[in-house]
Amino acid sequence: MAAPRRIVIGAGPGGLQAAAALASSGVAVTLLQQGPTPSGLQHPHQPLSGGWMRVRAEAKPSLEAILGPLAPADPPTRSIFANGEILSLPLRPWQVHPLFGRGAQADAARDWLSARMRTATAELTGSGQEERTYQDWVVRRMGIAALETLYVSYARRRWARSVDALSASLARVHHGMPDVGPFVVDGNTAEQRRQRMADVITGQGGQIFTDAQISAIHIDDGVVSGVSSAHGDFPVAEDLWVAASPAVVNQWLGDHADTSMQVDARYLAALPSVIVAAPIEVKAYPDEIHVLDDALPFWCVRFPRNAPGLALFQVTLPEADAPLDVASLTDAILNGAKAMGLSIGDNVMIERIEDHQPIWVQGGHARLRRNLRLWRKMRIVGVGRAGFHADLDLGQHLELLMRYAREDAPDQAELHRLFLDPPVRFSDLDARITRWLTR
């Protein structure tokens, strides 16, 4: 067996990021990457995001040790595509009514006014109303007509679940909480950034194994002792960092995953994302266009700042094992882009990323905290979007990872509560339909 060192299991970019963060703290790391490249991607040169990230000033020096110089950036610009038009956010008040169709505008206005009056009364009296689901959150602030017209289809395509199954926290984070940054960009292409991370790992004496499919995580006396992979067995002397969903980790744990972990994993799904990159004419676009038209298969189009001339179409697959028909998806992307007035080339690149879209369902947060504490006892640390069970950008992910690397026994449940699911405040009632989406 290989000499003991810190082990990180990856199944995509999150594993590479976690290993680089750990290595930058002075640790020799072995990255067991299940994908074909150090980043886990088929196309390591393909961007996956808009090129900007959120980084707090106090975390910037640590991240620059991994990414290189970071420069201040403007906040992302966002638009929606609805009724055949691309509309910039925040919407103007006169742009809202046409979204409902001529016959429904009066009912939608009365519905919205009633919702706002209830909210105002709650603010004055200090009274509360229980909100368990995404549907509850939207209806309380915007009304039923707004939910059905502007949110139901989008939520289904982005998170692959119905609005009465998704949690209220999900709606609050994405439609209510201001996205204040601060925002930065680095000067690297996606490929250069990933190569820098790999160099950080190997520069600290670490190793990267690709196509390292995991068969088992071994537990002795209640804690992790080793990992079996396609490249052999690796002993684990300290915490094991794992960029995978609870359901996948449970498979590797086998009988060591107790009944509560098995049940909780059903509520902590992280679904595959498919990101289709297509060439497009270089001109001024918003950073993101979020798609409300349910006839289109993608929920968002991004235009990376560090890759001009490229558009990224994002699709969420409905289940972890959902098949991908590349030819049909390519046709749907080309037709969808045409419907939006976007002229793209047909030489697209398709990247499927497993465990990439965490799904917050009703009751999921309590189960996540319990699962994280059970992992902590075994000395398993969840990382990546699936391990954190959060829709993190690169800056947020690396900042949390650096905190983990500095702490001997990071309390994941507490850090999740502080950073990823802050407490509800009365100001959350101030969400406006004109803002529609905040992140």
Side-chain angles (χ1 to χ4, degrees), residues 225-355:
S225 60
V227 175
S228 292
S229 78
H231 292 280
D233 294 336
F234 293 83
V236 177
E238 300 184 58
D239 290 348
L240 172 67
W241 285 21
V242 180
S245 67
V248 173
V249 174
N250 285 345
Q251 292 177 10
W252 295 334
L253 287 171
D255 293 340
H256 295 287
D258 64 23
T259 301
S260 67
M261 294 172 69
Q262 300 283 359
V263 172
D264 288 348
R266 300 173 191 166
Y267 292 83
L268 302 173
L271 298 177
S273 288
V274 178
I275 299 177
V276 181
I280 192 169
E281 179 186 359
V282 178
K283 64 178 188 179
Y285 298 103
D287 289 304
E288 301 175 350
I289 302 175
H290 292 261
V291 179
L292 276 61
D293 186 341
D294 59 7
L296 304 185
F298 46 88
W299 58 268
C300 183
V301 187
R302 292 191 170 98
F303 303 90
R305 296 182 184 182
N306 56 353
L310 200 66
L312 305 178
F313 297 80
Q314 187 142 354
V315 177
T316 301
L317 297 183
E319 300 297 339
D321 57 354
L324 178 61
D325 185 330
V326 171
S328 295
L329 178 61
T330 300
D331 288 343
I333 295 294
L334 294 173
N335 292 331
K338 184 177 180 180
M340 294 179 66
L342 303 175
S343 179
I344 63 173
D346 56 6
N347 51 328
V348 303
M349 293 184 296
I350 298 179
E351 188 73 55
R352 174 174 176 152
I353 312 169
E354 304 297 337
D355 282 358

Side-chain angles (χ1 to χ4, degrees), residues 182-202:
F183 302 97
V184 300
V185 293
D186 63 5
N188 301 310
T189 65
E191 187 172 23
Q192 290 169 338
R193 184 184 304 124
R194 290 162 190 151
Q195 186 58 55
R196 283 187 65 101
M197 293 183 195
D199 291 343
V200 169
I201 297 167
T202 56

Side-chain angles (χ1 to χ4, degrees), residues 8-11 34 214-219 223-224 226-228 240-258 260-266 268-270 320 354-355 368 371-389 412:
V8 175
I9 297 175
Q34 297 179 91
I214 306 301
S215 56
I217 294 175
H218 303 290
I219 304 292
V223 298
V224 175
V227 175
S228 292
L240 172 67
W241 285 21
V242 180
S245 67
V248 173
V249 174
N250 285 345
Q251 292 177 10
W252 295 334
L253 287 171
D255 293 340
H256 295 287
D258 64 23
S260 67
M261 294 172 69
Q262 300 283 359
V263 172
D264 288 348
R266 300 173 191 166
L268 302 173
E354 304 297 337
D355 282 358
L368 174 63
N371 192 83
L372 292 175
R373 291 195 168 100
L374 290 171
W375 277 5
R376 180 67 255 166
K377 292 179 181 178
M378 295 180 173
R379 304 200 67 169
I380 295 174
V381 177
V383 296
R385 292 163 65 99
F388 284 127
H389 203 69
Q412 280 197 280

Side-chain angles (χ1 to χ4, degrees), residues 19 26 70 79 113 129 151 162-163 184 194 237 248 279 289 360 433-434:
L70 299 173
S79 298
L113 182 59
Q129 177 180 326
Y151 295 87
S162 62
V163 292
V184 300
R194 290 162 190 151
V248 173
I289 302 175
W360 293 8
I433 197 169
T434 49

Side-chain angles (χ1 to χ4, degrees), residues 52 54 75-76 78 177-181 183 438-439:
W52 49 267
R54 303 170 184 89
R78 296 185 173 95
M177 290 176 56
D179 194 6
V180 296
F183 302 97
T438 57
R439 63 181 68 206

